[in-house]
Structures are given as structure tokens and as C-alpha cells.
Amino acid sequence: MAGLLRRTLPCYSLTLTLTVLLLCSCPALGKKKLYIGALFPMSGGWPGGQACLPAAQMALDLVNSRTDILPDYELELIHYDSMCDPGEATKLLYDLLYTEPIKIVLMPGCSSVSTLVAEAARMWNLIVLSYGSSSPALSNRQRFPTFFRTHPSATLHNPTRVQLFQKWKWTKIATIQQTTEVFTSTLDDLEERVKEAGIEISVRQSFLSDPAVAVKNLKRQDARIIVGLFYETEARKVFCEVYKEKLYGKKYVWFLIGWYADNWFKIKDPSINCTVEQMTEAVEGHVTTEIVMLNPETVRGASNLTSQDFIAQLMSKLGGKNPEETGGFQEAPLAYDAVWALALALNKTVGPLKAKGHRLEDFNYNNRDITAEIYRAMNTSSFEGVSGHVVFDAQGSRMAWTLIEQLQGGSYKKIGYYDSTKGNLSWYGNDKWIGPGPPADQTVVIEEFRYLSQNIFVSVSVFAGLGILLGIVCLTFNIYNSNVRYIQNSQPYLNNMTAVGCMMALAAVFPLGLDGLHVSRRHFPAVCQFRLWLLGLGFSLAYGSMFTKIWWVHTVFTKKEEKKDKRKHLEPWKLYATVGVLLSIDILLLMIWQIVDPLHITVEKFTREAPKGDLDVLIQPLLEHCSSEKMNTWLGVVYGYKGLLLLLGIFLAYETKSISTEKINDHRAVGMAIYNVAVLCMITAPVTMILSSQQDASFAFASLAIVFSVYITLVVLFVPKMRRLITRGEWQSDGQEAIKTGSSTNNNDEEKSRQLERENKELQKIIQEKEERVSELRNQLTERQALRSRRRASTVTNQNHSSPALAIHQSDPRSLAPPPGYPVPISDLHAIPSSFGNSSSLYQPDSKISRNNCHTSRLQLLYK
């Protein structure tokens, strides 16, 4: 202090001596005073002194009234208005340092002012304790070795901002800053952090006093996510320009500092030409990150006040002023706790200083020992204040939580907290953005999968299900009546294969309609394989069995006559072998396809679409397909092979349309079914390839083609058989009972025996009728022979009387033959030809004794 006095006043001045005596405050005069030099900005960029000064005075009054804290001292505050201006602060700092009394601690507010004060304070061995400085530059212990602050560093906002960028998947941001050291250093720290997080600062603008050009540049470069770093007065200028450039709304998110007054955008400012309504519209939806400055818990700390008690007393101190219109109201708890941190630290130094032979009132600007003791006490501070737990890190900065708020409807809403010490981001209620949804850092592209219409899927599935039921009915009918001759002549086993193949093809409709809405991506390839195998094998069974029938008919009845007879005997195993060959070819082809180039999911992207009512969102339609690397090659092989079979089937059906055979009595119906299946398949295959990008149309066309093909095939092949058996009564009840008992072979023989017995009885009746007719005819013949004999006898007698010499030669047979047209006499029965003994040969015109009804074998059976 002597050095300072030599620089200011004459060394032996009586006046100086009296002043020093007053400053020392002899015990006889009561408590000794300790002076605090403070700078409270009552105006300017951040008028925080409006609320922070009353809060500091409240703390001083309470400290001075306490007997357990600095009982021998009284703290007194000497303060000036720095206007948050470094130039003004320089002048005021000179006054504080070179004007008595000596100040034991300095308490600046704004970061720009604190930077100036803290850098100069080391020359006077002064401790600097700031209540409202957030500049990251102040955390430099080499530059500011005696600096502490109850306001956390602005860099504490940056981890919170980065967490929000990552949460909402933003990869590009823009910044606009006022060119002051506090904001420049904060932005430098933010740039390092976003770079580590893989986020790019695509636009970086700054301004000194007029932000118009900087805002226009943001608009021109399509900035969406914008971090603004400036004081409150400049914030009004920025958002007036933001309104003019329309740089607000759903497409944009602004991140601002949270320590502005709650109604900062409503305060009339002559430096801008925007109305309150325009400003309110421009700032709507912006996000602020703010250090938690008021303890959210009801805890009584060192001052024996809760945070709610403090707010109530501060409101009383302000005389009913609107907190939203009072600068620094949010930072007031920090100023209050700053005074308490200083008082507790000074109280902690009393004992150590006394042990060293020093006292607090002995402090002067050259006494490093007292400064070091105060520094040590401040560095180890830890207490509960109205702003929360007060503790300083190694750089002298306060450690605290960050509050995240959003302006909604003209007022700030809390949406979450961020604990930088633990990296924990917590939300109110849920983790969703409150209000309008967060936009992207550029035009939002929303991927949207196109799925099959459930109405179409259900409708087609109903038809497919009914078709499967029809197939079951046809299969059951065919098996149940397989012993009926008419069914046997249609090759019932091939009919069974057709029915089974049709049902498999219909079953393929269900997996054909499954997509990502029903099946996970992991299981989708299995669905692709399943639908391919069902459809392939179903086609081979259904079409292959029909193709085999028509092939056999063509092979037998279009050969030369000498070869035709040799092939008329049908061997069923050859038919089954033909179907087996066609089925084996399909199985082999599908196995090779699945092993060499298995099906997997591919996603087709379509042109982006802009939904109505949102100018910043584009929909990216996506469609899942079953595909493989060489899909076109495999489809070419399958379609080529199946196409040849279809064309050959059409040709064979046309060639055999006029042929009639009992061995395969339904080949005309088979030909009709082949026509329909071939036509539908040849139309469906290319059309579905064209419509592959339209999931509803493609599925509907393919599935309905399958359904119609199956329905036509089942109706054409099985319904006529059902109708014939029902209308003609050709049911085989005995055969049905035989099926039920399980002894089909023996019952077939018994049935044949019963049938022959019935035919023998009919023939016996017919033959008896014919024999009665023959007997009648013989009687008539006997009568004629007797009449002729009498006539002949009378003739001979007359001749004997007239020609006795005429001799009759008995040895000549012709002399005994009757005249033409007369029957042979009964006495000459031995001369009747042997064919006369077969009564069936006498009356050929009678339809009942035809070649079929009176076969030689049946006659033999009759007379056994």
C-alpha cells in the first residue's frame, strides 16, 4: 500500500495518514470494513446489473448481520455502471484502483469487461470474482491467474448444443456472432466440438454492429440450423433482419443464449424498425441453452434461504418490477452466491492469516500472501447456494447443469436438462420436441416404404382360400370315385396331381402378398424363396399332369396305323414318369438358382415427392422387391422353359381336338384348360414385369391370373365328371363301401363278378325268348314239311300211273333238295348247316341279340 500511496499523494501528507487510519478501522471504532469494487452493467448489451446489484446487496446485508461469518468485519460494496462496455470499464477500473479505499476483491459483470479487469488484476494482486461472465477465454489460468466466476463458462452450452445436434441427426449447422472475444472464443470451442462429433459448420458469419449483411448471407447459403452468439441488444437487430429475410419458421431452428430477459424481443428499441408483432413472429420456436441459475430443489444452503425465498425477497427488493423487463433477473442468484462465496472464503482465511501474523485489513496491492490465502480459500469453495451447488473447477469456472428451453407461443417452455459432468440428457415428460417438430439441417427427406393395400390383399386371399376349398372338394371327389369306370378312364391319379398343383399355386398367393409390413427384413428372403417354390412346383404338378395327358393322346392317335395298334395299350407308369420328369426339371432349376444366386431383398427408390402443406419435407418412396444378382437371366431361363411347354401344350391340344378315346376320356377338357392357362400365363408374365414398380397393380394382376387359371382348370376338369355321375346315377356304392373297408382289390373282383352275373341274367332272359320263338318256328316248319310230303306223295302216285318207267335216284342229293324258297323237311335235319344250331345267328336284326350282348364268351359262361 505504501508504494501505491507514493504514486498518488505526497509521502508525508497528514491527510493520507488520517485516511489510512480510517481505512484500518481501529477496534475502538467497531467492525473493520472490507471493500469490494464492483462493476454492474445497468445498460448496454447486457443490462444485468438491474437485478444483480439488488441481489448482491441482499447478500451483503445478510452476511453483515451474521455473527458466524466475518464477525469482526463488515463488507461494503463500491459499484459503478460499466454499461457492458470495455472502454467505459477501463475508466472505471482506473477509478477503483487509484481511488481510496483499497478494494480487497473486484466483481465485474460482462465477459468483455471481466476480460479487461481480470487481466489487469494480476498486477495489483487482486482476486476477481465475476457473477455474469461466460467467455471461454476467461478459463485460461495463464492469462487470468486470479479469476473466479459463479457464472459457468459459455463453453458449457456447447456440449449441450452438440448433444442436441446429434439427437436430431443434424450434420450441418451455421453460426452468426457478434465480434467480441467472448463469442469468438465460444465459437472456436464449438467448432472443435462439432468437428469431433462429425458435424460441419457450413456457414460462419459475423458482424460488428449491423447484422443485415450477415443475415442475408445465411439466407443465400440456405442455412437451416443456426447458432446465434450476441448480446441482447444485437439479438433484436438480428431478428429484425431475420423477419425481413423470412429466415424463420418450420424450416429453421435458432439456438440463442439463455440469459436474455424473457421478453427481450418485446422491448421497444429505437435501433430497429420492426414491430413487436413482427419480432414475436420471427423469434417463435427458437431454442435457448442456459446455465441452471436457480436451484430447482427446496434446499436451505449457506444463506439459510431456499431459492423460492430468495426470489420472493428479490421481487420485494425490485419494488414490483416485471422480472421479464428487468435485465439480469436470471443471473441474480449467481450474484447473490458470488457475495456468499467471497464472504465464506474470506472467513476461511482469518485463521490461517492470523497464524502467519497477517490480518485481512492489512491487505494492500503488494501483499501476495493475503492474495494467495484468499485464492486458496476460493479454489476450495463448496456450498449450497440459491443457484445450486457452488464449486469451481481448476480454471475457476463454475460447474453446473444446462437448461434447455424453447419459445412457444411467446413464452419459454422448459424441455430438458443436460449434465455435462455425466453427459446425461434428460427431458420433461418425454424425449420429444415440444411444439413444431425439429427441422433438418437441409430439406428433410423422409423415407417411406410403399406397402401392398390390405384391402386388395384380403380380397384376393379370400378368392384364393375359396379356390383351395374347391380344390379339396375336387380332390376328395376324384379319390372317392376312383373305381367308377368313367373316372378310371380319365386317369384319376393325374387328376389328383392337377388338383394338388392348383392348390399349391393358390397357396403361393399368400406369401406373394407379404411385404415389410408383415415380415421383418431378416426373414423376408425366406418368404421370397417360399413363394418361388410354391408357384414353381404348383405349376409343374398342375400343368405337367394335363400336358402329359394331351401328349399321350397325340402320340397314340397321330401315328401311322401299323404303329398305332402297338401303342394303344396305355401303361400308367409312363404317364406318371412324364410328370416326374417335368417336376424334377423344376426342382433342379430352383435348387441351382437358390444355391448359386439366392433371392434377397432389394429396395427400389422412386422420385421424391413433396407433401402438401410442408415446404421443407420430401418423401422418398421405397419399394421392397425379391431379387437376385442375375435376376433377369434366371427369369429368362424359367420363362423360356415354361413358355415352350405352354406353346407345345396349345399345339397338342389343337391337334387332338377331334380325337376320341376311352383311355383318356377328358382330353378335350384338358385341352380347353391348357388354352386358358397358356393365354393367362403369357399375358401375366410380361405385364407383371412392367408393373413391378406398382405393388398393388402387380400383385392384383399376378394373383388374379393364378386364381382364374386355377378356377378354370378345376371347373373344366372336375365339374363335368361330377355332373355325369350325379345325373346318370353311375355312383359305385359297393365300391364306396370297399374303400371304407380298405380292401379295394378283392372288392374290385367281386364287383366285376356281380356285373357279369347281372349281364348273364339279362342274356338268359333274351335267349329264353329267342328259344321260344325258335320252337314256334320249328313247329310251323314241321307242319309245312308234312303238307309238302302229302303233296309230293300224291304227285308221285300220279306219275307212277303215267310214267312207271321213271326211276328216282336216291343217291343224288340234289334230287332231294327242296325247291328254291321252301324250307328243308324236318326229316332232313342232319343236312341243316351247323350255323343253324346257333339261334343267335337266325335273328341278326334283333337288337337284343347283337354282337356285344351275345358274345361267344358270354354264351359259354351261360351254359357252363
Side-chain angles (χ1 to χ4, degrees):
M1 185 176 68
L4 176 61
L5 294 176
R6 283 194 298 269
R7 290 193 295 269
T8 56
L9 294 172
C11 196
Y12 300 105
S13 173
L14 179 61
T15 304
L16 177 60
T17 304
L18 294 174
T19 303
V20 171
L21 291 175
L22 289 174
L23 286 174
C24 291
S25 300
C26 296
L29 298 178
K31 286 187 176 182
K32 297 175 284 294
K33 288 189 176 183
L34 301 176
Y35 295 95
I36 303 171
L39 298 175
F40 287 96
M42 308 304 290
S43 59
W46 177 65
Q50 295 176 7
C52 290
L53 177 58
Q57 290 172 338
M58 286 171 52
L60 282 174
D61 293 342
L62 190 57
V63 167
N64 289 332
S65 66
R66 293 273 292 265
T67 57
D68 58 334
I69 301 174
L70 298 175
D72 298 328
Y73 298 95
E74 180 182 351
L75 298 179
E76 186 173 326
L77 193 64
I78 299 175
H79 60 88
Y80 298 102
D81 178 11
S82 67
M83 295 184 290
C84 207
D85 181 11
E88 181 69 17
T90 302
K91 175 180 177 296
L92 296 176
L93 177 62
Y94 182 88
D95 291 341
L96 285 172
L97 292 176
Y98 292 100
T99 302
E100 298 296 340
I102 293 176
K103 287 74 179 177
I104 198 170
V105 171
L106 297 178
M107 289 183 60
C110 296
S111 293
S112 57
V113 173
S114 296
T115 301
L116 173 69
V117 173
E119 195 165 19
R122 63 188 300 180
M123 305 301 297
W124 280 266
N125 296 313
L126 281 168
I127 298 294
V128 179
L129 177 58
S130 176
Y131 55 89
S133 302
S134 60
S135 174
L138 293 169
S139 296
N140 186 343
R141 268 285 179 249
Q142 300 296 324
R143 184 178 174 188
F144 311 105
T146 62
F147 180 78
F148 293 89
R149 53 182 165 183
T150 54
H151 194 300
S153 170
T155 56
L156 199 61
H157 297 259
N158 291 335
T160 308
R161 291 167 180 151
V162 172
Q163 283 288 324
L164 294 175
F165 299 157
Q166 291 178 324
K167 176 177 177 58
W168 289 316
K169 296 180 175 58
W170 293 330
T171 57
K172 289 183 179 180
I173 65 170
T175 63
I176 178 172
Q177 64 155 117
Q178 182 180 353
T179 51
T180 59
E181 184 178 14
V182 57
F183 301 127
T184 300
S185 56
T186 301
L187 188 55
D188 290 340
D189 179 77
L190 177 63
E191 189 169 8
E192 293 179 4
R193 292 179 184 273
V194 297
K195 186 176 181 180
E196 293 176 358
I199 301 171
E200 175 189 359
I201 298 182
S202 58
V203 184
R204 185 168 180 171
Q205 294 293 317
S206 61
F207 65 93
L208 183 60
S209 59
D210 185 3
V213 175
V215 172
K216 288 180 180 179
N217 289 338
L218 291 175
K219 178 71 174 181
R220 184 169 55 251
Q221 298 186 50
D222 194 28
R224 301 295 181 87
I225 311 302
I226 308 169
V227 178
L229 301 173
F230 29 73
Y231 286 115
E232 181 178 318
T233 52
E234 278 65 29
R236 286 189 282 270
K237 295 179 183 179
V238 168
F239 275 89
C240 184
E241 297 299 327
V242 165
Y243 177 81
K244 295 175 184 178
E245 298 295 331
K246 302 300 179 185
L247 201 64
Y248 63 92
K250 281 183 162 184
K251 295 171 61 175
Y252 307 95
V253 171
W254 282 83
F255 282 84
L256 302 182
I257 302 168
W259 36 257
Y260 301 160
D262 286 348
N263 69 334
W264 63 270
F265 52 90
K266 296 179 181 179
I267 297 175
K268 293 183 179 181
D269 191 336
S271 63
I272 62 173
N273 56 358
C274 293
T275 65
V276 173
E277 291 75 17
Q278 292 172 340
M279 291 291 292
T280 302
E281 181 180 349
V283 300
E284 178 65 23
H286 77 264
V287 178
T288 65
T289 53
E290 177 186 353
I291 306 304
V292 176
M293 300 180 186
L294 189 67
N295 195 340
E297 299 178 358
T298 307
V299 178
R300 295 186 181 275
S303 64
N304 200 27
L305 292 179
T306 65
S307 55
Q308 292 77 16
D309 294 338
F310 165 76
I311 293 297
Q313 292 185 16
L314 178 61
M315 292 294 295
S316 176
K317 187 83 171 176
L318 292 174
K321 290 183 180 178
N322 187 352
E324 294 183 357
E325 298 178 357
T326 305
F329 185 84
Q330 294 180 352
E331 291 78 9
L334 303 180
Y336 184 86
D337 285 344
V339 174
W340 272 96
L342 175 60
L344 293 173
L346 292 176
N347 186 63
K348 192 185 296 184
T349 62
V350 173
L353 287 176
K354 187 176 181 180
K356 296 179 180 180
H358 297 294
R359 297 175 301 174
L360 286 174
E361 62 268 27
D362 295 336
F363 174 78
N364 59 57
Y365 299 138
N366 292 320
N367 195 328
R368 294 186 177 183
D369 293 336
I370 297 177
T371 300
E373 200 61 43
I374 298 174
Y375 177 90
R376 191 176 299 109
M378 287 290 298
N379 205 32
T380 58
S381 294
S382 179
F383 67 95
E384 290 295 328
V386 295
S387 64
H389 189 69
V390 179
V391 63
F392 302 104
D393 62 14
Q395 286 74 39
S397 297
R398 170 80 177 275
M399 299 172 65
W401 282 38
T402 307
L403 172 65
I404 306 166
E405 294 183 315
Q406 185 186 23
L407 186 70
Q408 298 174 20
S411 60
Y412 287 99
K413 307 292 183 183
K414 296 178 181 179
I415 61 176
Y417 286 99
Y418 178 69
D419 184 359
S420 58
T421 59
K422 298 179 180 179
N424 181 34
L425 188 64
S426 56
W427 298 89
Y428 274 96
N430 51 45
D431 61 348
K432 293 182 180 179
W433 180 279
I434 301 175
D441 48 7
Q442 50 193 337
T443 300
V444 179
V445 178
I446 301 176
E447 293 185 346
E448 184 178 272
F449 280 92
R450 289 179 174 176
Y451 295 120
L452 177 65
S453 170
Q454 295 305 295
N455 293 332
I456 295 176
F457 178 60
V458 171
S459 301
V460 176
S461 298
V462 170
F463 282 105
L466 293 176
I468 292 175
L469 290 178
L470 177 61
I472 293 173
V473 171
C474 294
L475 181 62
T476 304
F477 163 81
N478 202 64
I479 295 174
Y480 198 68
N481 298 282
S482 60
N483 293 322
V484 178
R485 183 185 302 173
Y486 181 73
I487 300 298
Q488 287 178 339
N489 289 339
S490 67
Q491 298 301 318
Y493 291 108
L494 291 181
N495 293 340
N496 294 343
M497 293 181 188
T498 302
V500 171
C502 288
M503 288 188 287
M504 290 179 66
L506 285 174
V509 170
F510 299 104
L512 197 64
L514 296 179
D515 49 28
L517 186 63
H518 309 91
V519 183
S520 65
R521 255 180 116 76
R522 186 164 56 94
H523 297 110
F524 203 83
V527 175
C528 296
Q529 297 288 353
F530 187 57
R531 66 171 66 156
L532 179 64
W533 279 84
L534 269 181
L535 195 56
L537 298 183
F539 179 86
S540 295
L541 277 176
Y543 183 79
S545 56
M546 295 191 296
F547 179 82
T548 299
K549 286 185 180 182
I550 211 75
W551 172 271
W552 185 86
V553 172
H554 181 271
T555 302
V556 171
F557 291 96
T558 58
K559 296 293 182 181
K560 294 181 179 179
E561 292 297 327
E562 61 272 12
K563 296 182 178 180
K564 187 186 300 183
D565 293 336
K566 297 179 181 179
R567 299 180 63 101
K568 279 188 178 179
H569 179 64
L570 179 62
E571 297 179 357
W573 69 269
K574 293 183 179 179
L575 300 179
Y576 309 148
T578 304
V579 179
V581 169
L582 296 176
L583 192 61
S584 299
I585 293 174
D586 261 358
I587 292 175
L588 182 62
L589 179 60
L590 292 176
M591 286 182 66
I592 294 174
W593 187 354
Q594 185 172 357
I595 294 172
V596 175
D597 190 13
L599 291 173
H600 58 270
I601 262 191
T602 57
V603 178
E604 179 183 2
K605 293 185 178 181
F606 298 91
T607 304
R608 294 175 178 177
E609 303 171 354
K612 295 180 180 179
D614 197 333
L615 303 178
D616 201 39
V617 175
L618 291 178
I619 303 298
Q620 174 67 75
L622 303 174
L623 183 60
E624 296 172 329
H625 292 285
C626 289
S627 184
S628 57
E629 298 298 329
K630 298 182 179 179
M631 188 70 174
N632 293 333
T633 302
W634 294 108
L635 288 179
V637 172
V638 172
Y639 287 165
Y641 163 59
K642 303 288 186 184
L644 289 176
L645 279 181
L646 292 171
L647 291 175
L648 185 56
I650 293 175
F651 170 75
L652 296 177
Y654 178 79
E655 286 287 307
T656 58
K657 68 180 184 300
S658 59
I659 295 175
S660 178
T661 175
E662 292 184 358
K663 296 296 183 181
I664 300 180
N665 57 17
D666 62 348
H667 75 280
R668 288 192 179 91
V670 170
M672 186 182 298
I674 287 177
Y675 289 145
N676 287 282
V677 171
V679 170
L680 285 172
C681 288
M682 290 181 177
I683 293 174
T684 303
V687 171
T688 51
M689 293 182 69
I690 295 172
L691 298 177
S692 61
S693 296
Q694 304 177 33
Q695 70 280 7
D696 291 343
S698 177
F699 170 76
F701 203 91
S703 57
L704 289 178
I706 294 172
V707 169
F708 287 141
S709 298
V710 169
Y711 271 81
I712 291 171
T713 300
L714 294 177
V715 170
V716 167
L717 289 185
F718 292 95
V719 171
K721 297 180 177 63
M722 296 179 184
R723 182 175 177 274
R724 178 185 175 98
L725 265 62
I726 294 172
T727 56
R728 297 194 181 186
E730 297 181 5
W731 301 95
Q732 286 292 334
S733 58
D734 295 336
Q736 295 166 4
E737 294 176 0
I739 292 175
K740 294 178 181 179
T741 58
S743 54
S744 59
T745 304
N746 295 334
N747 286 322
N748 287 339
D749 295 338
E750 293 177 3
E751 178 63 25
K752 291 178 181 178
S753 176
R754 293 190 188 96
Q755 185 177 356
L756 290 175
E757 288 178 2
R758 286 194 297 269
E759 292 178 354
N760 282 336
K761 290 178 181 180
E762 293 177 0
L763 290 175
Q764 286 176 4
K765 183 178 180 181
I766 294 171
I767 292 173
Q768 184 178 359
E769 293 176 355
K770 298 303 180 182
E771 286 180 347
E772 291 177 357
R773 179 63 176 166
V774 169
S775 177
E776 181 182 352
L777 291 174
R778 284 178 176 175
N779 290 335
Q780 293 177 3
L781 182 60
T782 301
E783 292 176 358
R784 284 189 180 183
Q785 290 292 343
L787 179 60
R788 288 176 63 186
S789 297
R790 286 195 296 272
R791 289 178 181 178
R792 188 179 293 125
S794 62
T795 301
V796 170
T797 302
N798 294 333
Q799 288 178 352
N800 288 337
H801 288 291
S802 60
S803 305
L806 182 63
I808 299 174
H809 299 282
Q810 296 292 335
S811 61
D812 188 0
R814 289 178 295 178
S815 63
L816 299 177
Y822 288 89
V824 180
I826 194 169
S827 59
D828 298 331
L829 284 176
H830 64 278
I832 296 175
S834 60
S835 61
F836 183 79
N838 190 347
S839 61
S840 64
S841 65
L842 293 175
Y843 298 96
Q844 289 297 333
D846 196 328
S847 61
K848 290 186 178 181
I849 306 195
S850 63
R851 181 176 300 173
N852 292 335
N853 292 334
C854 194
H855 195 271
T856 304
S857 62
R858 295 181 180 180
L859 290 175
Q860 292 174 355
L861 180 61
L862 178 64
Y863 289 104
K864 282 183 180 180

